[in-house]
């Protein structure tokens, strides 16, 4: 055997001995930095959440383009003040404000969304722990408070009404009635009072309340239902969220789970989860119909942005603010 062969044989025996020693000690070679798992930044949505959030502007863009490219839709007369097509010549059943889905679902949208949430929380086994149920209700209360401020009441007129008047909008018939002394001054301040007085909103920028409601409500249900069943293993799901701990360390959100392992029954949607997903699907369909037949693109965009103003503080901000997370928690944790 030559000197070169002897050196090669010795090197091989040394490598075998090192591998045997590692197995005996129960150790393994350290993974390279490139093989380590990259954590999702706690101040940003997870990849799954990002995909869902991108679906909303995608629907709005598709609907807007469809309304511009469809000959039938472009040919139908549009009532600018009413933010819709003239009912008698509407290009589709869904282009009419009196369609059954608009009158029975969208107009009562928050009741449907709240009912679906309550049904899920009351029936799903993940909410056996009282603290988890309480925090879920707190998150619902925060999102509901934003819905009230934007669409119903904000220490007087709602934010949508205030924004409309701030940008130059007015209630034509009611304003004339006030000047003549036949109507109360308050009737010109809100859309509901204006309509009750026989008036019409004119001018100004009207934030799309439909887009706001459908985006906020559907994403609320996706968060509250989705994370509960997804992190329990539904459809092969796993915990993607990361949180900042009190000591500044960034860890998986699963470390704060109340139980070490997921109960098998938690993977099932159950009757409440299926009902909630049905409401989400209908929200998505009506959002598309709104994108095609109602409001201008800018009004739909502002409706989307105003909905996002509640999504981030309630569902993303607590991940990197431990004090806030202690109060409202995270869905599924």
């Amino acid at each position: 055997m030559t000197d070169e062969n002897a050196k090669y044989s010795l090197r091989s025996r040394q490598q075998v001995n090192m591998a045997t020693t590692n197995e005996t000690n129960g150790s393994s070679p350290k993974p390279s930095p490139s093989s380590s798992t990259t954590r999702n930044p706690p101040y940003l949505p997870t990849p799954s959440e990002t995909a869902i959030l991108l679906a909303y502007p995608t629907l709005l863009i598709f609907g807007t383009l469809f309304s511009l490219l469809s000959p039938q839709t472009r040919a139908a007369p549009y009532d600018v003040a009413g933010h819709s097509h003239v009912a008698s010549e509407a290009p589709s059943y869904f282009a009419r404000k009196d369609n059954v889905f608009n009158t029975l679902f969208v107009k009562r949208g928050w009741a449907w969304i709240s009912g679906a949430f309550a049904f899920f929380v009351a029936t799903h086994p993940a909410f056996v722990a009282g603290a988890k149920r309480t925090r879920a209700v707190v998150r619902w209360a925060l999102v509901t408070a934003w819905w009230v401020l934007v669409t119903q009441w904000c220490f007087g007129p709602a934010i949508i009404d205030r924004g409309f008047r701030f940008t130059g909008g007015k209630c034509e018939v009611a304003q004339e009635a006030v000047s003549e002394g036949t109507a109360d001054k308050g009737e010109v301040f809100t859309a509901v009072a204006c309509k009750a007085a026989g008036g019409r909103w004119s001018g100004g920028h009207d934030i799309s309340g439909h887009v706001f409601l459908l985006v906020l409500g559907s994403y609320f249900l996706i968060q509250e239902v989705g994370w509960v069943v997804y992190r329990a293993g539904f459809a092969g799901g796993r915990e993607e969220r990361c949180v900042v701990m009190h000591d500044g360390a960034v860890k998986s959100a699963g470390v704060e789970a109340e139980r070490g392992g997921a109960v098998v029954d938690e993977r099932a949607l159950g009757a409440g989860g299926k009902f909630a997903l049905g409401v989400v699907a209908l929200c998505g369909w009506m959002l598309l119909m709104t994108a095609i037949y109602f409001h201008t693109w800018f009004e739909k965009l502002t409706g989307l942005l105003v909905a996002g103003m509640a999504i981030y503080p309630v569902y993303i901000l607590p991940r990197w603010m431990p004090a806030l997370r202690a109060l409202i928690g995270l869905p599924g944790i």
Side-chain angles (χ1 to χ4, degrees):
M1 179 181 294
T2 64
D3 292 342
E4 184 177 349
N5 289 337
K7 291 179 181 179
Y8 177 79
S9 177
L10 178 61
R11 191 183 309 116
S12 299
R13 287 197 298 271
Q14 289 174 342
Q15 291 175 348
V16 170
N17 290 337
M18 289 176 63
T20 304
T21 302
N22 287 337
E23 291 178 1
T24 303
N25 296 335
S27 61
S28 59
K30 294 182 180 181
S32 62
S34 60
S35 65
S36 61
T37 302
T38 302
R39 293 186 183 276
N40 188 76
Y43 50 83
L44 293 177
T46 68
S48 299
E49 291 173 328
T50 300
I52 293 170
L53 288 171
L54 288 176
Y56 294 118
T58 300
L59 280 175
L60 295 179
I61 292 172
F62 175 80
T64 301
L65 291 176
F66 183 90
S67 65
L68 295 174
L69 299 176
S70 170
Q72 185 181 12
T73 305
R74 284 191 290 110
Y78 188 82
D79 179 9
V80 177
H83 308 288
S84 64
H85 291 277
V86 177
S88 59
E89 301 181 59
S92 166
Y93 174 71
F94 289 99
R96 298 172 49 178
K97 285 188 173 182
D98 61 351
N99 77 75
V100 66
F101 295 96
N102 189 52
T103 56
L104 297 183
F105 179 73
V106 180
K107 294 295 186 182
R108 297 168 174 79
W110 205 254
W112 284 96
I113 291 161
S114 299
F117 168 74
F119 187 21
F120 178 70
V121 170
T123 59
H124 198 273
F127 293 95
V128 173
K132 185 181 290 187
R133 182 185 295 111
T134 300
R135 288 172 180 153
V137 172
V138 171
R139 291 191 297 272
W140 168 83
L142 290 174
V143 175
T144 299
W146 183 239
W147 170 76
V148 170
L149 291 173
V150 172
T151 65
Q152 305 298 311
W153 175 85
C154 182
F155 305 96
I159 291 176
I160 286 181
D161 293 330
R162 289 179 182 273
F164 178 80
R165 290 182 55 79
F166 181 77
T167 54
K170 60 182 181 299
C171 182
E172 290 181 337
V173 175
Q175 195 170 47
E176 294 175 3
V178 168
S179 62
E180 296 172 359
T182 58
D184 184 79
K185 185 177 180 180
E187 291 176 349
V188 304
F189 289 147
T190 67
V192 175
C194 178
K195 185 176 180 180
R200 286 167 63 90
W201 278 132
S202 176
H205 175 77
D206 187 20
I207 299 171
S208 175
H210 276 42
V211 171
F212 166 77
L213 166 72
L214 296 170
V215 171
L216 180 63
S218 61
Y219 193 76
F220 163 73
L221 289 178
I222 289 171
Q223 278 282 334
E224 295 298 336
V225 176
W227 278 119
V228 169
V229 297
Y230 188 69
R231 70 178 303 274
F234 180 80
R238 62 181 179 81
E239 182 61 73
E240 297 179 346
R241 297 167 295 180
C242 290
V243 296
V244 176
M245 308 302 291
H246 287 280
D247 59 0
V250 177
K251 297 183 179 180
S252 169
V255 301
E256 295 189 342
E258 293 180 350
R259 292 196 289 271
V263 179
V264 176
D265 288 345
E266 289 186 15
R267 301 178 184 179
L269 283 169
K274 292 176 182 177
F275 178 68
L277 288 188
V279 172
V280 170
L282 193 52
C283 283
W285 174 254
M286 293 308 296
L287 180 63
L288 179 60
M289 295 300 101
T290 300
I292 295 174
Y293 299 119
F294 300 96
H295 287 280
T296 66
W297 71 269
F298 189 53
E299 291 168 345
K300 288 176 280 195
L301 174 62
T302 52
L304 175 66
L305 294 177
V306 173
M309 291 172 66
I311 290 173
Y312 192 90
V314 175
Y315 292 110
I316 309 298
L317 191 61
R319 298 177 192 175
W320 52 279
M321 291 189 65
L324 179 60
R325 189 168 66 251
L327 295 176
I328 68 176
L330 297 175
I333 301 297

